[in-house]
Amino acid sequence: MTITYRNATVADAALLADLGARTFTTTFGHLYSPANLALFLDNHTPERWTAAIGSDATVRLAEVDGAAVGYARIGPLTFEVDRNGRAGVQLYQLYIETPWHGSGVAAALLDWTVTTAREQGAADLWLSVFIDNPRARRFYARAGFVEVMPYTFMVGDQADEDIICRLALDAGGAAA
């Protein structure tokens, strides 16, 4: 078993659509009505991935023996937060297939995310995490993210409570 990492291209759009829909459904699908889940999964189509990668998204894939097992997607900050004049990048998704939880894949993808955000000139890295996802909250806290404020995350017409978190990427951004 060999784990490899590479930047995704538009040629990976169908693969990312499938992986994103599958991992979200496996982890959270039981929380939503079929209609709301279907509406949310409209964000995971090959066409949407092609558009994202072709514009402002940077995506890193994790593969085991050539099969995709996870990815991280970053891009421009869209949260309405007090940035204190600091440049920010947003981690939109860090999705890992369940069998690979705890394997180091998520940590490697987060390391890439931090490095890439710094290379893009960001002083802060932002994300949101579902309030009822204690495993992810612990993971991000161990990495130095600070919980900043609540955030409403929509899945169809169902509003979930997330928490926006921030990681200062430089010494000038002490935790808020």
Side-chain angles (χ1 to χ4, degrees):
M1 168 190 73
T2 303
I3 302 172
T4 58
Y5 301 89
R6 66 179 177 84
N7 287 349
T9 68
V10 292
D12 296 307
L15 177 146
L16 287 163
D18 176 64
L19 182 60
R22 225 172 346 101
T23 53
F24 185 86
T25 301
T26 298
T27 306
F28 302 113
H30 67 282
L31 299 173
Y32 306 108
S33 69
N36 281 338
L37 183 60
L39 284 170
F40 181 79
L41 293 179
D42 280 345
N43 294 313
H44 289 283
T45 63
E47 296 77 20
R48 291 204 183 215
W49 276 105
T50 296
I53 293 171
S55 62
D56 59 5
T58 306
V59 181
R60 187 79 166 170
L61 271 169
E63 298 174 318
V64 175
D65 297 331
V69 299
Y71 69 90
R73 175 183 172 201
I74 64 172
L77 180 61
T78 62
F79 296 133
E80 294 182 18
V81 293
D82 182 0
R83 295 164 47 152
N84 293 317
R86 295 166 55 85
V89 167
Q90 186 170 326
L91 173 59
Y92 294 105
Q93 296 142 341
L94 198 161
Y95 288 3
I96 308 295
E97 293 265 28
T98 304
W100 298 99
H101 288 185
S103 69
V105 170
L109 287 172
L110 186 59
D111 286 347
W112 168 85
T113 299
V114 169
T115 299
T116 303
R118 282 187 176 121
E119 289 171 352
Q120 292 179 358
D124 296 313
L125 178 61
W126 297 84
L127 61 84
S128 73
V129 61
F130 184 43
I131 196 162
D132 290 326
N133 189 345
R135 180 185 184 99
R137 289 176 69 185
R138 286 190 306 270
F139 172 74
Y140 292 124
R142 282 192 309 272
F145 282 86
V146 175
E147 295 183 355
V148 176
M149 61 187 276
Y151 174 71
T152 301
F153 184 82
M154 297 302 296
V155 177
D157 64 8
Q158 180 175 327
D160 284 340
E161 186 177 351
D162 272 26
I163 300 168
I164 292 178
C165 302
R166 173 184 163 263
L167 175 67
L169 301 176
D170 62 9

